[in-house]
Amino acid sequence: MLTAIVVWSASVDLRARDQSKDWIVLKDCRLIANPANDGDSFHVSAGEKEYLFRLYFVDAPETDEMTPRRLVEQAKYFSITVPQTIEVGRAAKDFTQEKLSQPFTVLTHMSDAMGQSRLERFYAFVETKEGDLAEQLVRNGLARSYGFKAAPPGLTSSRIEVERLQRFEDQAKQEKTGAWGVNVGRLNAHAQTPSAFSFFVADGKTPSRSAPAESPTGFFPVRKPATSITPSAPVQQSKSHAKEKTPLGRIDVNTATEKELTTVPEIGHVMAARIIAARPFRSADDLKRVSGIGEKKYKQIRAYFQ
């Protein structure tokens, strides 16, 4: 039996349904500006209704210090610092915003993606005019192949798309693109080789399980030629001596800039200025002697420093 595709009008309230076994397609969606938007999770309008979607298969870095453990994990994955990871996260957010500046299509199974918003968040595939958004993020080194997976329409397994994303990640890593090139000043360098992205639904038709030979995914192919990735709006990359020498998400307490210090949870501009004024330190253990850093705050911030 083929996977069912259900095309809904934009006025349908997805929240009124339980998790659907069918793929629900929302066309002509628009991105809603929201401070909580990031590279892989964002608010969307479909007609008069607002939804919150989270991309399948990928994880873009965080854009702030609100989830420190996750930031450290992401920094380690890309072999960059925590401040650099936040930079990449913000670049991913800008990339997604640019790609969703035109109407796009959302395909959702209505699987709960959890989250802390007042809106229920659903996992989804998002198709832009240039192809699958998750694939574009990974190909440009702005997200990793990671996270919740589901068999795309027409497939019984997620394996094909996982393998495809891994190839994209390997290419980005080899070309030092995005997060993979942040240490050599290539955060804003985008994929040099055009890649054919998949289109999972066309005109609401049900795709077959076996993809055509020219399609490396199991998704229903787009009828027009695939478009190569174009650069998003440039994001200013801050270069500093501290960033060049900071390993795996750890900050050098004696050389970090004020901007880098403020990416650490519990450190604002005032505290960053105090730390800079108290230099040099024999080690980050000496942070305890900075005015305003008590035992509790010290324990919260110590893991971020060498």
Side-chain angles (χ1 to χ4, degrees):
M1 180 180 296
L2 299 178
T3 303
I5 300 291
V6 179
V7 180
W8 291 66
S9 69
S11 61
V12 172
D13 190 348
L14 298 187
R15 289 165 292 187
R17 291 170 54 90
D18 294 323
Q19 179 171 327
S20 173
K21 294 181 179 179
D22 300 329
W23 286 106
I24 298 170
V25 181
L26 294 176
K27 296 186 175 182
D28 298 320
C29 294
R30 298 275 183 174
L31 180 68
I32 297 175
N34 189 291
N37 288 350
D38 57 25
D40 58 32
S41 182
F42 33 82
H43 291 248
V44 168
S45 68
E48 298 179 352
K49 298 189 179 297
E50 178 179 352
Y51 305 104
L52 179 57
F53 293 112
R54 169 72 162 84
L55 294 177
Y56 280 116
F57 287 96
V58 299
D59 176 50
E62 303 301 310
T63 58
D64 55 40
E65 69 278 5
M66 298 303 291
T67 53
R69 290 185 179 179
R70 189 168 182 80
L71 265 174
V72 171
E73 178 200 349
Q74 291 168 336
K76 185 175 182 179
Y77 185 89
F78 288 109
S79 297
I80 57 179
T81 70
V82 167
Q84 287 171 333
T85 302
I86 292 175
E87 279 193 83
V88 175
R90 291 172 180 170
K93 176 178 179 177
D94 289 345
F95 183 91
T96 290
Q97 181 175 321
E98 192 273 332
K99 296 304 176 186
L100 301 186
S101 61
Q102 299 296 321
F104 53 91
T105 299
V106 172
L107 188 69
T108 179
H109 240 340
M110 293 188 61
S111 295
D112 184 9
M114 298 177 285
Q116 301 177 354
S117 172
R118 62 178 177 81
L119 288 178
E120 184 176 3
R121 188 169 67 162
F122 302 114
Y123 282 107
F125 292 105
V126 171
E127 181 72 15
T128 75
K129 64 180 181 179
E130 295 174 353
D132 182 66
L133 178 59
E135 293 180 356
Q136 294 177 68
L137 283 164
V138 172
R139 182 65 183 89
N140 283 276
L142 298 175
R144 55 178 173 164
S145 178
Y146 180 90
F148 192 83
K149 299 173 176 62
L155 294 179
T156 58
S157 168
S158 62
R159 179 183 58 81
I160 292 177
E161 182 64 5
V162 169
E163 292 176 353
R164 179 174 170 84
L165 286 169
Q166 187 59 57
R167 289 197 299 272
F168 283 162
E169 185 171 304
D170 291 343
Q171 285 179 293
K173 191 172 184 178
Q174 182 178 6
E175 295 171 6
K176 297 188 184 302
T177 302
W180 304 109
V182 72
N183 283 318
V184 291
R186 290 180 55 80
L187 171 60
N188 298 312
H190 295 286
Q192 301 301 307
T193 305
S195 299
F197 294 108
S198 57
F199 191 89
F200 37 71
V201 165
D203 301 328
K205 295 182 179 180
T206 303
S208 63
R209 280 188 178 176
S210 57
E214 65 272 16
S215 174
T217 74
F219 298 154
F220 197 85
V222 67
R223 293 176 179 176
K224 61 184 179 181
T227 306
S228 61
I229 296 174
T230 55
S232 63
V235 179
Q236 295 299 318
Q237 180 180 358
S238 174
K239 297 180 180 180
S240 71
H241 179 73
K243 284 187 179 181
E244 292 173 358
K245 291 192 173 183
T246 305
L248 296 182
R250 298 293 185 88
I251 297 174
D252 187 324
V253 70
N254 284 315
T255 60
T257 64
E258 179 181 349
K259 178 180 177 181
E260 290 171 324
L261 289 170
T262 57
T263 64
V264 176
E266 305 299 326
I267 294 182
H269 292 284
V270 173
M271 185 58 66
R274 291 178 183 175
I275 292 173
I276 292 172
R279 292 170 177 169
F281 298 98
R282 290 175 299 177
S283 74
D285 294 338
D286 287 343
L287 283 167
K288 291 180 179 179
R289 63 181 171 84
V290 176
S291 176
I293 298 182
E295 189 65 30
K296 180 179 179 181
K297 180 169 289 190
Y298 172 78
K299 289 180 179 179
Q300 291 174 321
I301 67 175
R302 181 61 183 87
Y304 286 89
F305 295 90
Q306 293 181 17

